[in-house]
Amino acid sequence: MALIQCFFTFLILLSSTRCQAPTEAPLQASITVSMGDMRVFSGEDLRTSCSVPDDPSPYWRYKWFQNGDDIGFYNSSEAWIKASGKYSCQAEKDLKKWPYLVNTLPSQPLHLHVDRGWALMQIPTTPSIIEDTMILTCRIRDGPVATEVRFYKNDAEIQCDKSQVLVFSNVTLQDAGVYWCRASWMEKNLLHSAQSLPVPVTVLDKLETPQLVLVSGRVIAGKLVRIRCETRLNVKAEGLQIEYYFMKNHSRLAPASSSDKYTIWQIRKEDAGVYTCKAKVRLLNVERWSNELELKVY
């Protein structure tokens, strides 16, 4: 009897150990275009690949999703795309010990477009960053030579030429918008013309305008209050670091810090006021100011 009790005690302790063991943050799958472009004509090759960047193990199995619906290709890391949609993937693999199976988080979705028309506006696969060169292309199915191409932004014509490309050599935030084109070409002595579907084009700042937000709940005297300076650096390069400055009524509260949070451990009535923050990247010589956040202490 004592032996049985010891056995059950061992099982309970083992279960407790498993439950209390620290768990690692889940990995996330990544989906990329491995053949073709994010906007293609129907009949052209478009293939996506799924991977787990933080664990390149060959033992992953993959699930594919279109607009959130499972579309199969379960054991393949690649999928051929035939229709427009929002595509994502997820990976799983077996483990030799508990918990015996691990699943990744779904990838960020890719918006892929398969066009059945005769003209197609092709845009950069990733958003352009200000001061970069941005190229938009008005493609014609089967590649005939264009006799005239008109580019439009938000319904206003911005270029009329034989060139099928629109080049922005030093793109700005004002260049973002909805673009489309109309192309004409000759075929068998007949003039043909087609218009593309409109497509939104995004241009990002190097450092996004910060948003100062209240992290804690209601501001009550004597309670801890934390505010956060939320921004994002869109330039990828070594050595870049965001410095944060917090101000109250235009007076600096503390020296520059690498933390995007400012904490008031026990807020008092005299801490009430208008707070702002500044984000700065010295190597880029870029700084951005946030909105104003008024704190009222109750």
Side-chain angles (χ1 to χ4, degrees):
M1 187 67 179
L3 182 61
I4 295 176
Q5 289 179 339
C6 290
F7 176 72
F8 279 110
T9 301
F10 171 75
L11 290 179
I12 292 171
L13 289 173
L14 179 61
S15 175
S16 175
T17 301
R18 286 180 173 178
C19 292
Q20 295 176 6
T23 56
E24 296 181 358
L27 301 174
Q28 184 172 32
S30 175
I31 183 173
T32 56
V33 173
S34 55
M35 179 181 291
D37 198 272
M38 294 181 67
R39 298 178 60 83
V40 298
F41 283 116
S42 56
E44 294 181 331
D45 290 336
L46 174 54
R47 186 176 67 196
T48 57
S49 294
C50 188
S51 63
V52 185
D54 293 327
D55 183 355
S57 162
Y59 303 111
W60 291 104
R61 299 184 297 271
Y62 301 92
K63 293 181 181 179
W64 292 88
F65 302 90
Q66 179 189 15
N67 301 324
D69 297 327
D70 192 337
I71 57 173
F73 308 101
Y74 188 75
N75 290 315
S76 175
S77 64
E78 296 184 325
W80 291 93
I81 305 302
K82 301 297 182 183
S84 299
K86 186 187 297 185
Y87 289 85
S88 59
C89 67
Q90 188 175 13
E92 70 173 31
K93 70 176 178 179
D94 298 319
L95 300 177
K96 292 183 178 180
K97 57 183 180 179
W98 188 86
Y100 305 114
L101 181 69
V102 60
N103 287 278
T104 69
L105 295 172
S107 68
Q108 293 295 322
L110 273 183
H111 295 259
L112 304 177
H113 177 74
V114 179
D115 200 291
R116 301 186 182 280
W118 284 90
L120 171 68
M121 174 66 78
Q122 206 158 57
I123 66 173
T125 55
T126 58
S128 298
I129 310 297
I130 60 170
E131 300 179 6
D132 284 350
T133 297
M134 181 175 75
I135 300 176
L136 308 182
T137 305
C138 185
R139 293 186 58 209
I140 306 173
R141 185 183 287 273
D142 299 330
V145 177
T147 57
E148 181 184 84
V149 178
R150 297 175 182 266
F151 285 92
Y152 299 84
K153 175 191 175 187
N154 302 333
D155 294 330
E157 184 179 311
I158 56 175
Q159 178 176 298
C160 179
D161 203 335
K162 291 184 178 181
S163 175
Q164 291 179 232
V165 297
L166 178 63
V167 180
F168 299 83
S169 58
N170 194 11
V171 69
T172 68
L173 294 176
Q174 288 68 42
D175 292 321
V178 177
Y179 288 80
W180 54 282
C181 64
R182 179 182 292 277
S184 300
W185 68 97
M186 296 296 296
E187 185 175 344
K188 297 180 180 179
N189 295 323
L190 295 176
L191 179 64
H192 298 265
S193 182
Q195 176 180 312
S196 75
L197 292 174
V199 55
V201 173
T202 302
V203 179
L204 300 178
D205 201 347
K206 292 181 179 180
L207 180 66
E208 295 186 3
T209 300
Q211 294 295 312
L212 187 61
V213 297
L214 179 64
V215 178
S216 54
R218 194 177 181 200
V219 182
I220 301 175
K223 297 292 185 180
L224 180 147
V225 171
R226 182 174 287 123
I227 55 179
R228 178 186 292 134
C229 191
E230 296 182 345
T231 185
R232 184 171 65 180
L233 183 62
N234 293 313
V235 179
K236 295 183 179 180
E238 292 185 5
L240 296 183
Q241 183 178 8
I242 303 177
E243 296 178 356
Y244 296 92
Y245 301 80
F246 290 89
M247 270 69 64
K248 173 195 167 188
N249 299 332
H250 306 292
S251 296
R252 187 184 295 183
L253 292 169
S257 170
S258 59
S259 174
D260 63 352
K261 301 180 186 67
Y262 180 78
T263 302
I264 305 173
W265 295 102
Q266 291 183 319
I267 196 164
R268 300 171 297 175
K269 292 288 186 181
E270 50 265 38
D271 291 319
V274 176
Y275 288 75
T276 54
C277 71
K278 179 177 73 172
K280 181 176 182 177
V281 181
R282 291 184 181 273
L283 291 181
L284 296 177
N285 195 27
V286 170
E287 63 180 38
R288 299 288 183 266
W289 287 88
S290 76
N291 57 301
E292 294 183 343
L293 177 66
E294 184 177 5
L295 294 185
K296 298 180 179 179
V297 182
Y298 296 94

